[in-house]
């Protein structure tokens, strides 16, 4: 198996976040496991877009792993990482995200090194970058 990197995020309102990510950013539900005792909590979810995947779950403070995570509003809206998602039609993606309430951080822009992109925050403040630049494509020339 090849190594695969899958960003994992936590949300205070994970079910609402899943709906937003599917509607505004184009993800599709691959798997959603709701907590049997607390139906408002998501133990684990997998969302896909093209050949990529993210995993997410509800914010919790009762596991050792959760002690290592903070939400954007816990740290003044700053992020130490940002999922970068390659999409085919960035302009259409940008317009859809804006229409569904994504907070645009960096407007759509054609890049000098190729492709185009923009960045946005979801309703809980996580930072996302969407672009058409393919880092796997051979360099021109």
């Amino acid at each position: 198996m090849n190594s695969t990197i899958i960003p994992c995020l936590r949300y205070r309102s994970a079910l609402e976040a899943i709906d937003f990510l599917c509607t505004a950013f184009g993800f599709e539900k691959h798997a959603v496991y709701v907590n049997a005792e607390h139906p408002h909590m998501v133990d684990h979810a997998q969302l896909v877009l093209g050949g990529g995947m993210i995993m997410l779950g509800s914010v919790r403070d009762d596991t050792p792993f959760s002690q290592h995570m903070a939400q954007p509003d816990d740290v003044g809206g700053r992020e130490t990482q940002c999922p970068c998602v390659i999409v085919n039609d960035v302009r259409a993606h940008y317009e859809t995200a804006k229409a569904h309430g994504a907070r645009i951080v960096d407007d759509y822009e054609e890049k000098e090194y190729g492709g185009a992109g923009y960045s946005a925050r979801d309703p809980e403040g996580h930072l996302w970058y969407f672009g058409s630049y393919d880092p796997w494509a051979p360099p021109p020339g």
Side-chain angles (χ1 to χ4, degrees), residues 53-110:
M53 177 183 285
I54 62 167
M55 295 189 295
L56 65 93
S58 293
V59 170
R60 38 189 323 161
D61 60 4
D62 61 343
T63 67
F65 181 75
S66 64
Q67 302 306 307
H68 300 288
M69 297 193 71
Q71 295 305 101
D73 63 349
D74 292 335
V75 291
R78 304 286 301 219
E79 290 275 10
T80 61
Q81 55 188 324
C82 166
C84 178
V85 183
I86 307 306
V87 296
N88 290 328
D89 187 343
V90 183
R91 181 162 303 276
H93 193 277
Y94 169 79
E95 296 300 336
T96 299
K98 277 180 41 176
H100 287 92
R103 188 165 36 115
I104 303 301
V105 175
D106 296 306
D107 279 318
Y108 174 90
E109 177 184 22
E110 301 286 332

Side-chain angles (χ1 to χ4, degrees), residues 11 13-22 47 56 122-124:
Y11 288 92
S13 299
L15 292 170
E16 290 84 2
I18 290 168
D19 289 341
F20 174 85
L21 295 169
C22 291
L47 305 182
L56 65 93
D122 64 33
E124 291 197 21

